[in-house]
Amino acid sequence: MTAIFVTGTGTGIGKTFVTAALIRYLRAEGRAVDAIKPVISGFDSAAAGTSDPGVLLGALGRPITMAEIERISPWRFAAPLSPDLAAAREGRAIDFNDLTAFSRRAAMAVRGTLFIEGVGGAMVPLDQSRTVLDWMTALRLPVLLVGGSYLGTISHTLSALHVIAQRNLDIAAVVVSESEVPGASLDDTVATIARFVDPLEVIAVPRLPPDGAPHPAFGRIAALL
């Protein structure tokens, strides 16, 4: 059994795209794989197929039903805000102990590889006092950090790596997913980040069709997990 926590430098930078592509790669290799995204904000049940859990279920070859979405994403909130604020708008709150227990049960039950996709960036608040970083720390799983190639991503990526390293978490790799509106070139962004984080692997993922043929980059990433 292998469990990987996928986090990001922020929201909308490609965590779900990278996770889904890794799922498809592992399935094509004949390997068992599953994924959960326990917390999601900005969820619209009328657009479940294009939601993050819908994309993950599609990559897994699972039906995109509310029962399946409930299975992998039990904490769903409508407002596109940080989870603490999105939950508060609905008069709800995320129970941190329940969240970590759910994640551990999924990791123990999986056959093969489990991806646990976080929400937003590494420092996004989950409740009044805990962040995604605290969730990762409680689980102590290897971390796959996904960043973009937009202007500012180098600082955001190095800052995220710094706080993750402060918790003595194992960082499996850094993935730079090419942004729709990039800053420097993808290659220059990767080279600059790599210069500061050696010996960590920093892997470039160019913009690709959402469910196209697997790119060689995902074989490199999978080999590090």
Side-chain angles (χ1 to χ4, degrees), residues 61-80:
R62 303 285 298 181
I64 303 172
T65 63
M66 286 310 299
E68 282 288 312
I69 289 173
E70 173 68 23
R71 180 182 70 84
I72 70 168
S73 299
W75 287 273
R76 302 180 305 280
F77 307 103

Side-chain angles (χ1 to χ4, degrees), residues 56-141:
L56 295 179
L57 288 168
L60 288 165
R62 303 285 298 181
I64 303 172
T65 63
M66 286 310 299
E68 282 288 312
I69 289 173
E70 173 68 23
R71 180 182 70 84
I72 70 168
S73 299
W75 287 273
R76 302 180 305 280
F77 307 103
L81 302 170
S82 61
D84 61 328
L85 295 177
R89 280 209 176 179
E90 299 178 19
R92 301 163 61 197
I94 296 170
D95 186 302
F96 185 79
N97 291 332
D98 287 350
L99 174 61
T100 55
F102 173 83
S103 304
R104 289 192 183 106
R105 285 195 301 272
M108 292 178 64
V110 74
R111 179 178 61 87
T113 300
L114 175 73
F115 292 104
I116 302 176
E117 185 185 328
V119 57
M123 292 302 294
V124 163
L126 296 170
D127 60 17
Q128 294 299 306
S129 61
R130 267 78 61 101
T131 66
V132 170
L133 181 63
D134 295 306
W135 181 14
M136 292 191 286
T137 302
L139 298 178
R140 304 216 65 83
L141 297 173

Side-chain angles (χ1 to χ4, degrees), residues 17 21 24-25 28 208-218:
F17 167 74
R24 289 193 296 270
Y25 177 86
L208 300 165
D211 53 2
H215 188 275
F218 295 105

Side-chain angles (χ1 to χ4, degrees), residues 200-214:
L200 282 179
E201 288 273 357
V202 183
I203 300 172
V205 173
R207 290 192 66 76
L208 300 165
D211 53 2

